[in-house]
Amino acid sequence: MSRLRDVGLDFLDSAPTRMVFEALVPAPRHPVFAAITADPTTWTWFPRMRGLPYRGTEPHGVGTIREIRTMGARYRETIVAWDAPSRWAYRVDETNFPIAKALVEEWTTQERGGSTLVRWTFAIDPRPLFRIALPLAPIVMRRVFETAMRNLAATIPTSA
């Protein structure tokens, strides 16, 4: 596993590369935020991602560790913001996939009538491997995000 630089929320503004994706999820904000922040084992709605249970005792929040696996890559992350029901962010601490020197992801939710606007910010100080993929990364990541949001909407009961 490769260790990444320890960065905070300010990295969302100072990262060399920043991508932002938005989608309107036809469900109320509280259940959408709850699904996004739920135990990583429940993230079956995010394509090809499998998580392990949060580490530590409940309630989970800032400082909680989560581990995920996606497409052969493993990531150990630390939650750096958990402001229900509007903001949740994590920093990648270690990975077996050398794409970044530093990486923070932020998820925010905003009410839009009976729906929820979900914004995913991907802030990265890329290593050469990711720089090579940089021209295609926004296209691929947008498709993955849009699929994830459709899947997420399908998991939230209409009476939520």
Side-chain angles (χ1 to χ4, degrees):
M1 294 284 274
S2 167
R3 182 98 179 127
L4 279 68
R5 197 167 67 243
D6 186 353
V7 293
L9 291 170
D10 58 329
F11 187 71
L12 290 163
D13 295 320
S14 65
T17 301
R18 187 172 179 266
M19 291 176 256
V20 180
F21 307 97
E22 292 183 342
L24 196 61
V25 176
R29 182 182 193 187
H30 286 277
V32 169
F33 187 83
I36 290 170
T37 60
D39 188 280
T41 60
T42 68
W43 271 46
T44 56
W45 49 268
F46 200 94
R48 295 187 283 278
M49 194 191 98
R50 296 298 170 254
L52 301 173
Y54 280 125
R55 287 191 191 171
T57 57
E58 293 186 24
H60 301 295
V62 173
T64 297
I65 305 294
R66 82 176 198 151
E67 294 182 37
I68 62 157
R69 294 186 175 118
T70 181
M71 298 182 292
R74 294 183 323 226
Y75 301 91
R76 188 178 63 78
E77 305 164 337
T78 299
I79 307 303
V80 293
W82 197 319
D83 306 315
S86 58
R87 182 185 200 199
W88 183 70
Y90 47 88
R91 170 190 66 236
V92 175
D93 297 317
E94 293 181 339
T95 181
N96 69 336
F97 193 57
I99 65 166
K101 298 173 193 170
L103 174 59
V104 173
E105 296 182 42
E106 177 188 54
W107 296 76
T108 62
T109 60
Q110 297 175 5
E111 287 187 42
R112 291 288 191 268
S115 296
T116 303
L117 178 66
V118 177
R119 180 178 296 124
W120 176 38
T121 302
F122 186 87
I124 185 170
D125 183 359
R127 289 192 183 274
L129 180 64
F130 193 79
R131 271 192 230 115
I132 291 168
L134 207 48
L136 292 177
I139 297 164
V140 172
M141 292 173 70
R142 178 173 311 284
R143 286 183 186 155
V144 169
F145 176 70
E146 289 171 351
T147 299
M149 293 301 96
R150 281 192 303 275
N151 294 346
L152 177 62
T155 68
I156 297 174
T158 55
S159 61

